[in-house]
Amino acid sequence: VFDKKTNRFLAGKTEEEWDQAVQKSAEEEMKEDEKKDYEALGGDDGDKSGNCHVVTSNIIEGAGGKVPKSYNPPGYAPGLRYDD
């Protein structure tokens, strides 16, 4: 769930739980991300290549959240995965 008040994806957790989950997910993602090739348009969605939006999606999903379809970051966002 994207909380517009705090500008966060809370996923049914307290803010502290969410922060911890995101930090853990980011640490794990960065270990995996070092092995991938950069692709400006998202590549293969993170299997062997990706971009910053793929990494962002992986971190949010790894923490138990989803990017809502209503979230609209400024500019072009290839690779950002939205909740179905």
Side-chain angles (χ1 to χ4, degrees):
V1 173
F2 185 75
D3 185 337
K4 290 182 179 181
K5 183 178 175 185
T6 62
N7 205 35
R8 293 176 183 242
F9 300 89
L10 297 176
K13 300 176 182 343
T14 67
E15 188 171 339
E16 185 175 333
E17 291 170 333
W18 175 247
D19 290 348
Q20 291 172 358
V22 168
Q23 183 172 351
K24 182 179 178 185
S25 179
E27 289 170 359
E28 293 171 4
E29 179 62 23
M30 291 302 99
K31 289 177 190 172
E32 290 299 315
D33 195 51
E34 291 177 356
K35 303 172 191 170
K36 299 175 186 172
D37 295 325
Y38 176 79
E39 292 287 340
L41 297 179
D44 62 5
D45 203 30
D47 186 32
K48 294 183 181 179
S49 63
N51 62 12
C52 58
H53 298 299
V54 170
V55 172
T56 299
S57 295
N58 289 347
I59 291 170
I60 291 169
E61 291 168 5
K66 295 278 187 183
V67 179
K69 285 185 178 183
S70 62
Y71 180 66
N72 186 17
Y76 187 51
L80 191 60
R81 293 187 302 273
Y82 295 96
D83 190 17
D84 294 328

